[in-house]
Amino acid sequence: MTISIKYKTILKKIHRHSVVLFLMITALAIGGVFIFDSSRLQFQILTVLAITYLSWALLHHSLDKSLTLEIMIEYVLTALLTIIILYGTLL
Amino acid sequence: MALSHWFLPNKHTHQKATLISWEGLLIYVLLFILLQVSFSVINFLKPGVLGVTSTIDYKKIVELTNIERQKLGLQPVVENSTLNKAAAAKAANMLEENYWAHFAPSGKTPWDFILGSGYRFQFAGENLAKNFYSSEDVVTAWMNSPTHKENIINSKYQDIGIAVVEGALNGQKTTLVVQMFGSTSGFLAQSPEVNINGQKTIIPKNEYEKETLPQVAGFKLPSATPKPLIDPYLATKVVGFSVMMLMVTLLVVDFIILRRRGVFRLSSHYVAHFGFLTASAITLLLRTPGSIL
């Protein structure tokens, strides 16, 4: 019972700060793109960011109880579109 | 469907604008896949139609290389006609055998071209670049790469050879830059050494004493190719950036309109989209074409 309450509290805290956490990861990725000049490395950074973006979406909307198929498709297509555009220019 | 619904949320149902809905995103994804496939098909059917137009001057590359050396108090390298010939032979071979690498699929090595041209080096090195717009871009890219920089600022080198050659590589009009360094001082004092991408190779005696390669003796540079019609790099960059900016703008408009209407809609998170699209757009803006090896 106590463990369950603690678990819920942690999840609530993560949920409350998840947007800030994602923005911090995004800022780190932008910093990485500025620091590393290699296009291959920049592409890898953006690919990791895309995976983080999708994982974040899954976690955030699950905790928010707003996870629907349509919402998830939007995230997947946005990530896919960006990766295709970057693949055409970076690699 | 009303034109406004493509850009603005629906007045009655408050649904997202079509251009930022999942249907709109699917259309963008399919269009970009089609664009990439079209480029590959054009490269295959009409080589030379796609490509980058460069304004690279080999004299300028020698000048910029020496500026970088002088910054560190090193002696400038002197243009050497034999190394120029070796670099031109290497570039011609890359176009002929259709490869982008230091070593040819047929097994030719960078030192095959240097030795084949008659330059008996003690130390040598090779830097490659393709599809840059200007000489400055080429040297900057090399200087940003530790392994290429190592060649440019190597105090052992005395001579430089450059070739800037245009031709079709993988069906696309390409400008190749081959930069070769060398030094003949200390001749035979120790085993000859070549620096390629930071890897130092000691040249075996039997290879060092090989006769001039026929490819170097009588290589042919490709004849001048017409200006390419489309720059695939620029096309993808401009269209991609425009789509990203359109999405960001429509998301902002969507957010403002829903706030004004006082409507709650179960939807994906605006901030996450802004963050991800902004990072991607910045990466796209920062990139210049061209790659080094």
Side-chain angles (χ1 to χ4, degrees):
Chain A
M1 189 70 176
T2 324
I3 293 169
S4 168
I5 292 166
K6 271 188 179 175
Y7 177 70
K8 278 184 181 171
T9 315
I10 292 167
L11 282 181
K12 268 185 187 174
K13 275 187 179 173
I14 292 174
H15 185 219
R16 204 180 305 146
H17 302 294
S18 68
V19 178
V20 179
L21 190 71
F22 179 73
L23 286 180
M24 278 165 71
I25 295 168
T26 307
L28 272 178
I30 294 172
V33 165
F34 271 101
I35 292 167
F36 300 108
D37 194 59
S38 155
S39 57
R40 197 165 287 275
L41 211 54
Q42 288 178 339
F43 184 74
Q44 284 167 357
I45 291 171
L46 262 293
T47 307
V48 171
L49 184 66
I51 294 166
T52 311
Y53 167 74
L54 292 176
S55 312
W56 177 90
L58 201 62
L59 182 77
H60 175 83
H61 289 286
S62 305
L63 294 173
D64 209 29
K65 295 185 174 56
S66 60
L67 186 66
T68 64
L69 182 65
E70 195 176 313
I71 286 176
M72 219 42 224
I73 289 173
E74 267 182 37
Y75 283 104
V76 171
L77 287 174
T78 307
L80 189 66
L81 173 69
T82 313
I83 292 299
I84 292 171
I85 294 170
L86 293 174
Y87 181 84
T89 47
L90 295 183
L91 298 181
Chain B
M1 191 195 293
L3 183 67
S4 64
H5 188 47
W6 284 86
F7 303 94
L8 304 171
N10 192 296
K11 271 182 192 170
H12 310 291
T13 63
H14 309 295
Q15 269 184 320
K16 263 187 182 172
T18 310
L19 290 176
I20 46 168
S21 66
W22 73 266
E23 294 97 332
L25 291 170
L26 186 63
I27 292 169
Y28 299 140
V29 168
L30 293 176
L31 282 176
F32 273 97
I33 291 174
L34 187 71
L35 190 71
Q36 297 300 328
V37 172
S38 313
F39 287 157
S40 303
V41 172
I42 295 170
N43 283 339
F44 180 72
L45 296 176
K46 295 263 179 201
V49 169
L50 301 179
V52 171
T53 306
S54 306
T55 54
I56 299 170
D57 174 36
Y58 85 95
K59 290 268 183 204
K60 185 79 184 164
I61 290 184
V62 175
E63 188 190 320
L64 293 168
T65 301
N66 278 329
I67 288 173
E68 295 298 339
R69 288 175 71 85
Q70 278 161 1
K71 278 182 197 168
L72 296 167
L74 299 169
Q75 285 292 313
V77 281
V78 179
E79 195 188 330
N80 181 289
S81 59
T82 315
L83 271 183
N84 273 348
K85 196 175 143 190
K90 170 64 185 260
N93 183 254
M94 285 166 85
L95 295 173
E96 193 189 320
E97 289 190 40
N98 198 33
Y99 68 96
W100 166 242
H102 286 288
F103 295 87
S106 61
K108 288 186 196 82
T109 61
W111 54 90
D112 279 343
F113 296 98
I114 303 175
L115 293 171
S117 66
Y119 188 88
R120 316 304 285 178
F121 62 88
Q122 178 62 52
F123 298 102
E126 181 184 78
N127 283 344
L128 301 176
K130 69 167 182 174
N131 283 341
F132 282 90
Y133 286 143
S134 68
S135 313
E136 286 81 1
D137 291 344
V138 175
V139 178
T140 304
W142 280 333
M143 285 303 288
N144 286 335
S145 154
T147 55
H148 295 85
K149 185 180 175 181
E150 199 182 315
N151 264 338
I152 291 178
I153 58 163
N154 193 326
S155 59
K156 289 172 183 166
Y157 300 141
Q158 296 169 328
D159 303 319
I160 186 171
I162 299 274
V164 180
V165 177
E166 285 186 344
L169 194 73
N170 294 321
Q172 237 177 63
K173 194 194 166 191
T174 306
T175 304
L176 291 173
V177 183
V178 179
Q179 183 182 46
M180 282 177 169
F181 294 98
S183 168
T184 52
S185 68
F187 184 57
L188 291 183
Q190 62 184 87
S191 302
E193 190 182 280
V194 181
N195 185 353
I196 294 152
N197 230 343
Q199 288 213 317
K200 292 178 179 73
T201 310
I202 305 289
I203 311 302
K205 203 180 171 190
N206 61 334
E207 285 202 39
Y208 194 75
E209 285 163 0
K210 259 196 296 196
E211 288 298 309
T212 301
L213 285 173
Q215 290 84 352
V216 179
F219 71 89
K220 263 190 178 176
L221 287 174
S223 48
T225 46
K227 203 177 160 190
L229 291 177
I230 304 165
D231 180 341
Y233 168 81
L234 199 63
T236 312
K237 187 173 174 171
V238 169
V239 179
F241 188 74
S242 309
V243 167
M244 285 178 191
M245 286 300 100
L246 176 73
M247 284 173 68
V248 169
T249 311
L250 293 182
L251 281 167
V252 172
V253 170
D254 189 77
F255 177 76
I256 294 170
I257 289 179
L258 284 199
R259 269 286 173 100
R260 279 190 182 169
R261 287 180 191 168
V263 172
F264 170 77
R265 183 186 64 207
L266 204 59
S267 161
S268 49
H269 208 289
Y270 292 102
V271 179
H273 289 318
F274 291 147
F276 183 61
L277 287 169
T278 306
S280 308
I282 288 173
T283 311
L284 206 57
L285 265 188
L286 283 179
R287 261 340 283 166
T288 51
S291 49
I292 54 170
L293 203 64

